[in-house]
PDB file of all heavy atoms in Angstrom:
ATOM      1  N   THR A   5      -0.380  11.152  -2.102  1.00  0.00           N
ATOM      2  CA  THR A   5       0.437  12.253  -2.640  1.00  0.00           C
ATOM      3  C   THR A   5       0.168  13.458  -1.850  1.00  0.00           C
ATOM      4  O   THR A   5      -1.056  13.811  -1.648  1.00  0.00           O
ATOM      5  CB  THR A   5       0.245  12.501  -4.046  1.00  0.00           C
ATOM      6  OG1 THR A   5       0.605  11.276  -4.726  1.00  0.00           O
ATOM      7  CG2 THR A   5       1.167  13.556  -4.553  1.00  0.00           C
ATOM      8  N   PRO A   6       1.119  14.298  -1.335  1.00  0.00           N
ATOM      9  CA  PRO A   6       0.790  15.541  -0.496  1.00  0.00           C
ATOM     10  C   PRO A   6       0.012  16.555  -1.488  1.00  0.00           C
ATOM     11  O   PRO A   6       0.412  16.679  -2.633  1.00  0.00           O
ATOM     12  CB  PRO A   6       2.121  16.026  -0.058  1.00  0.00           C
ATOM     13  CG  PRO A   6       3.030  14.829  -0.243  1.00  0.00           C
ATOM     14  CD  PRO A   6       2.486  13.932  -1.311  1.00  0.00           C
ATOM     15  N   VAL A   7      -0.635  17.491  -1.060  1.00  0.00           N
ATOM     16  CA  VAL A   7      -1.376  18.344  -1.772  1.00  0.00           C
ATOM     17  C   VAL A   7      -0.614  19.699  -1.552  1.00  0.00           C
ATOM     18  O   VAL A   7      -0.234  20.035  -0.416  1.00  0.00           O
ATOM     19  CB  VAL A   7      -2.863  18.552  -1.263  1.00  0.00           C
ATOM     20  CG1 VAL A   7      -3.453  19.615  -2.038  1.00  0.00           C
ATOM     21  CG2 VAL A   7      -3.626  17.284  -1.401  1.00  0.00           C
ATOM     22  N   ASP A   8      -0.331  20.384  -2.687  1.00  0.00           N
ATOM     23  CA  ASP A   8       0.440  21.517  -2.686  1.00  0.00           C
ATOM     24  C   ASP A   8       1.815  21.602  -1.871  1.00  0.00           C
ATOM     25  O   ASP A   8       2.202  22.365  -1.165  1.00  0.00           O
ATOM     26  CB  ASP A   8      -0.220  22.770  -2.056  1.00  0.00           C
ATOM     27  CG  ASP A   8      -1.515  23.078  -2.971  1.00  0.00           C
ATOM     28  OD1 ASP A   8      -1.543  22.869  -4.213  1.00  0.00           O
ATOM     29  OD2 ASP A   8      -2.628  23.494  -2.281  1.00  0.00           O
ATOM     30  N   GLY A   9       2.314  20.290  -2.116  1.00  0.00           N
ATOM     31  CA  GLY A   9       3.681  20.163  -1.310  1.00  0.00           C
ATOM     32  C   GLY A   9       3.705  20.089   0.183  1.00  0.00           C
ATOM     33  O   GLY A   9       4.717  20.089   0.769  1.00  0.00           O
ATOM     34  N   GLN A  10       2.487  20.078   0.713  1.00  0.00           N
ATOM     35  CA  GLN A  10       2.391  19.986   2.161  1.00  0.00           C
ATOM     36  C   GLN A  10       2.136  18.684   2.719  1.00  0.00           C
ATOM     37  O   GLN A  10       1.370  17.885   2.026  1.00  0.00           O
ATOM     38  CB  GLN A  10       1.190  20.961   2.689  1.00  0.00           C
ATOM     39  CG  GLN A  10       1.393  22.469   2.286  1.00  0.00           C
ATOM     40  CD  GLN A  10       0.229  23.189   2.749  1.00  0.00           C
ATOM     41  OE1 GLN A  10      -0.712  22.607   3.358  1.00  0.00           O
ATOM     42  NE2 GLN A  10       0.293  24.511   2.637  1.00  0.00           N
ATOM     43  N   THR A  11       2.776  18.415   3.753  1.00  0.00           N
ATOM     44  CA  THR A  11       2.730  17.080   4.373  1.00  0.00           C
ATOM     45  C   THR A  11       1.312  16.997   5.181  1.00  0.00           C
ATOM     46  O   THR A  11       1.189  17.854   6.009  1.00  0.00           O
ATOM     47  CB  THR A  11       3.758  16.801   5.349  1.00  0.00           C
ATOM     48  OG1 THR A  11       5.069  16.858   4.576  1.00  0.00           O
ATOM     49  CG2 THR A  11       3.633  15.386   5.970  1.00  0.00           C
ATOM     50  N   PRO A  12       0.522  16.121   4.868  1.00  0.00           N
ATOM     51  CA  PRO A  12      -0.729  15.942   5.577  1.00  0.00           C
ATOM     52  C   PRO A  12      -0.669  15.744   6.919  1.00  0.00           C
ATOM     53  O   PRO A  12       0.305  14.935   7.375  1.00  0.00           O
ATOM     54  CB  PRO A  12      -1.574  14.973   4.736  1.00  0.00           C
ATOM     55  CG  PRO A  12      -0.545  14.020   4.298  1.00  0.00           C
ATOM     56  CD  PRO A  12       0.686  14.957   3.884  1.00  0.00           C
ATOM     57  N   ALA A  13      -1.566  16.437   7.836  1.00  0.00           N
ATOM     58  CA  ALA A  13      -1.490  15.968   9.290  1.00  0.00           C
ATOM     59  C   ALA A  13      -1.965  14.609   9.490  1.00  0.00           C
ATOM     60  O   ALA A  13      -2.922  14.205   8.779  1.00  0.00           O
ATOM     61  CB  ALA A  13      -2.240  16.999   9.980  1.00  0.00           C
ATOM     62  N   PRO A  14      -1.389  14.006  10.542  1.00  0.00           N
ATOM     63  CA  PRO A  14      -1.821  12.691  10.722  1.00  0.00           C
ATOM     64  C   PRO A  14      -3.339  12.563  11.238  1.00  0.00           C
ATOM     65  O   PRO A  14      -3.732  13.543  11.865  1.00  0.00           O
ATOM     66  CB  PRO A  14      -0.820  12.132  11.767  1.00  0.00           C
ATOM     67  CG  PRO A  14      -0.353  13.350  12.415  1.00  0.00           C
ATOM     68  CD  PRO A  14      -0.191  14.417  11.340  1.00  0.00           C
ATOM     69  N   ALA A  15      -3.993  11.600  10.813  1.00  0.00           N
ATOM     70  CA  ALA A  15      -5.428  11.558  11.145  1.00  0.00           C
ATOM     71  C   ALA A  15      -5.478  11.228  12.606  1.00  0.00           C
ATOM     72  O   ALA A  15      -4.640  10.495  13.262  1.00  0.00           O
ATOM     73  CB  ALA A  15      -6.055  10.401  10.449  1.00  0.00           C
ATOM     74  N   PRO A  16      -6.304  12.030  13.384  1.00  0.00           N
ATOM     75  CA  PRO A  16      -6.548  11.704  14.718  1.00  0.00           C
ATOM     76  C   PRO A  16      -6.904  10.343  15.007  1.00  0.00           C
ATOM     77  O   PRO A  16      -7.741   9.756  14.352  1.00  0.00           O
ATOM     78  CB  PRO A  16      -7.527  12.817  15.258  1.00  0.00           C
ATOM     79  CG  PRO A  16      -8.329  13.038  14.046  1.00  0.00           C
ATOM     80  CD  PRO A  16      -7.242  12.993  12.856  1.00  0.00           C
ATOM     81  N   ARG A  17      -6.310   9.727  16.143  1.00  0.00           N
ATOM     82  CA  ARG A  17      -6.656   8.403  16.457  1.00  0.00           C
ATOM     83  C   ARG A  17      -7.997   8.505  17.326  1.00  0.00           C
ATOM     84  O   ARG A  17      -8.180   9.259  18.100  1.00  0.00           O
ATOM     85  CB  ARG A  17      -5.591   7.752  17.437  1.00  0.00           C
ATOM     86  CG  ARG A  17      -4.227   7.494  16.784  1.00  0.00           C
ATOM     87  CD  ARG A  17      -3.356   6.898  17.542  1.00  0.00           C
ATOM     88  NE  ARG A  17      -2.106   6.593  16.846  1.00  0.00           N
ATOM     89  CZ  ARG A  17      -0.992   6.057  17.386  1.00  0.00           C
ATOM     90  NH1 ARG A  17      -1.147   5.636  18.678  1.00  0.00           N
ATOM     91  NH2 ARG A  17       0.046   5.803  16.782  1.00  0.00           N
ATOM     92  N   PRO A  18      -8.808   7.496  16.949  1.00  0.00           N
ATOM     93  CA  PRO A  18     -10.096   7.390  17.745  1.00  0.00           C
ATOM     94  C   PRO A  18      -9.857   7.123  19.261  1.00  0.00           C
ATOM     95  O   PRO A  18      -8.802   6.418  19.595  1.00  0.00           O
ATOM     96  CB  PRO A  18     -10.916   6.300  17.169  1.00  0.00           C
ATOM     97  CG  PRO A  18      -9.882   5.582  16.487  1.00  0.00           C
ATOM     98  CD  PRO A  18      -8.649   6.416  15.971  1.00  0.00           C
ATOM     99  N   PRO A  19     -10.519   7.629  20.119  1.00  0.00           N
ATOM    100  CA  PRO A  19     -10.226   7.369  21.560  1.00  0.00           C
ATOM    101  C   PRO A  19     -10.491   5.922  21.904  1.00  0.00           C
ATOM    102  O   PRO A  19     -11.278   5.237  21.396  1.00  0.00           O
ATOM    103  CB  PRO A  19     -11.326   8.286  22.288  1.00  0.00           C
ATOM    104  CG  PRO A  19     -12.411   8.456  21.258  1.00  0.00           C
ATOM    105  CD  PRO A  19     -11.732   8.571  20.065  1.00  0.00           C
ATOM    106  N   ALA A  20      -9.657   5.368  22.824  1.00  0.00           N
ATOM    107  CA  ALA A  20      -9.801   4.015  23.178  1.00  0.00           C
ATOM    108  C   ALA A  20     -11.135   3.815  23.892  1.00  0.00           C
ATOM    109  O   ALA A  20     -11.576   4.559  24.834  1.00  0.00           O
ATOM    110  CB  ALA A  20      -8.702   3.591  24.054  1.00  0.00           C
TER     111      ALA A  20
END
Side-chain angles (χ1 to χ4, degrees):
T5 304
V7 179
D8 298 332
Q10 297 181 357
T11 303
R17 294 183 180 180

